[in-house]
C-alpha cells in the first residue's frame, strides 16, 4: 500500500500506535516521513485515540477485546506518549474492570505498566491500593475468550497464578 494523503498517513500512524519501528518493519516509515508531520500533531492523534478507546471501553464485554483495548492504550502511554493524566484515567477504568477481567489479563496489564520504570514509580501506590481493595481470587484464571486464542497456548493456569503471585509477593500485596 502506498500512502497517498494526510488522512492515510494518520491512519497508518495510529494503526501502529505511533511506533516508527513497526512502521519501518512493515515498510511504511519512509512514505510516512515524507508528510513531515510534527511531533505535536502525532501526540494529538495519539491522545485522541486513547480518549476514544477510553470512552468506549466500559461497553466492551468480551474479556479478550477489553484486554486488547487496554493493551493498545498502555502501549501508547508507556512506549510513545507517557501522558500521566491519560494513564490515570486508564488506571481508573482498569479498577472498574477488575471484576470482569481474567487474572491473565490483569497480570499482563500490571506487567506492562511495571516495565516502564518511570510510570511504575508514579503509579505503583495507586495500583497497589487498587489491587488490595479488590478480591480477584474469584476471577477466571484464563478466560474462555483467551483460551480460544492460539497466542497463549504456552501459558497454563499454573503459570498465570505463579506470575500473579510473584507480582503480589514483590509488591507486598495480598492475593
Amino acid at each position: 500500500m502506498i500512502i497517498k494523503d494526510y488522512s492515510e498517513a494518520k491512519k497508518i500512524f495510529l494503526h501502529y500506535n505511533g511506533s516508527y519501528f513497526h512502521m519501518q518493519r512493515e515498510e511504511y516509515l519512509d512514505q510516512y516521513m515524507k508528510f513531515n508531520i510534527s511531533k505535536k500533531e502525532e501526540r494529538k492523534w495519539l491522545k485522541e485515540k486513547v480518549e476514544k478507546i477510553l470512552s468506549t471501553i466500559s461497553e466492551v464485554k468480551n474479556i479478550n477485546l477489553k484486554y486488547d483495548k487496554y493493551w493498545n492504550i498502555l502501549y501508547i502511554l508507556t512506549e510513545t506518549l507517557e501522558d500521566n493524566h491519560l494513564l490515570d484515567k486508564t488506571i481508573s477504568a482498569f479498577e472498574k474492570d477488575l471484576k470482569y477481567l481474567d487474572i491473565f489479563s490483569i497480570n499482563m496489564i500490571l506487567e506492562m505498566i511495571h516495565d516502564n520504570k518511570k510510570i511504575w514509580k508514579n503509579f505503583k501506590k495507586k495500583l497497589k491500593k487498587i489491587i488490595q481493595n479488590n478480591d480477584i481470587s474469584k476471577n477466571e484464571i484464563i478466560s474462555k475468550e483467551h483460551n480460544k486464542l492460539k497466542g497463549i497456548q504456552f501459558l497454563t493456569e499454573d503459570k498465570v497464578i505463579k506470575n500473579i503471585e510473584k507480582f503480589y509477593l514483590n509488591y507486598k500485596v495480598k492475593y
Side-chain angles (χ1 to χ4, degrees), residues 64 67 102 104-105 142-149 152:
N64 185 46
Y67 167 73
D102 61 357
F104 164 78
S105 297
I142 300 175
S143 71
K144 293 176 196 97
E145 290 96 343
H146 277 123
N147 265 329
K148 290 177 189 173
L149 297 177
I152 63 163

Side-chain angles (χ1 to χ4, degrees), residues 3-24:
I3 304 174
K4 298 174 190 150
D5 59 29
Y6 179 86
S7 64
E8 283 184 16
K10 180 179 179 180
K11 186 176 175 181
I12 292 293
F13 179 81
L14 292 175
H15 175 76
Y16 293 105
N17 292 321
S19 170
Y20 291 156
F21 170 79
H22 292 294
M23 283 190 274
Q24 176 67 39

Side-chain angles (χ1 to χ4, degrees), residues 2 7 14 17 20 32 40 45 47 51 57 71 77 83 108 124 130 140 142 147 149-150 159 169-171:
I2 295 176
S7 64
L14 292 175
N17 292 321
Y20 291 156
Y32 174 78
K40 185 177 179 179
W45 291 347
K47 284 182 180 188
E51 290 282 1
I57 203 163
W71 188 94
L77 294 176
D83 182 301
M108 297 304 288
K124 179 180 173 180
I130 288 169
E140 284 184 283
I142 300 175
N147 265 329
L149 297 177
K150 296 183 187 324
K159 284 184 180 178
L169 285 172
N170 285 341
Y171 299 101

Side-chain angles (χ1 to χ4, degrees), residues 57-163:
I57 203 163
S58 65
E59 299 164 15
V60 176
K61 300 302 176 209
N62 179 298
I63 290 171
N64 185 46
L65 293 176
K66 192 174 280 283
Y67 167 73
D68 286 347
K69 290 191 178 290
Y70 278 111
W71 188 94
N72 250 329
I73 292 170
L74 289 169
Y75 179 85
I76 292 168
L77 294 176
T78 61
E79 299 295 323
T80 314
L81 196 56
E82 289 193 14
D83 182 301
N84 283 343
H85 172 70
L86 287 174
L87 191 57
D88 195 46
K89 286 175 75 171
T90 302
I91 291 171
S92 294
F94 172 65
E95 180 177 17
K96 291 175 188 166
D97 283 334
L98 272 176
K99 60 185 167 233
Y100 304 113
L101 292 166
D102 61 357
I103 293 173
F104 164 78
S105 297
I106 293 168
N107 186 60
M108 297 304 288
I109 290 166
L110 291 171
E111 283 185 10
M112 192 168 205
I113 297 168
H114 179 261
D115 286 346
N116 183 311
K117 300 302 179 204
K118 180 179 168 189
I119 289 174
W120 179 250
K121 182 181 173 193
N122 293 336
F123 288 94
K124 179 180 173 180
K125 287 179 184 174
K126 182 175 183 169
L127 284 164
K128 182 178 177 181
K129 186 176 179 180
I130 288 169
I131 298 299
Q132 286 176 330
N133 292 337
N134 289 276
D135 179 12
I136 64 165
S137 64
K138 294 174 181 72
N139 293 34
E140 284 184 283
I141 297 170
I142 300 175
S143 71
K144 293 176 196 97
E145 290 96 343
H146 277 123
N147 265 329
K148 290 177 189 173
L149 297 177
K150 296 183 187 324
I152 63 163
Q153 56 186 251
F154 61 91
L155 286 173
T156 63
E157 288 190 354
D158 287 341
K159 284 184 180 178
V160 171
I161 291 297
K162 283 181 184 171
N163 284 345

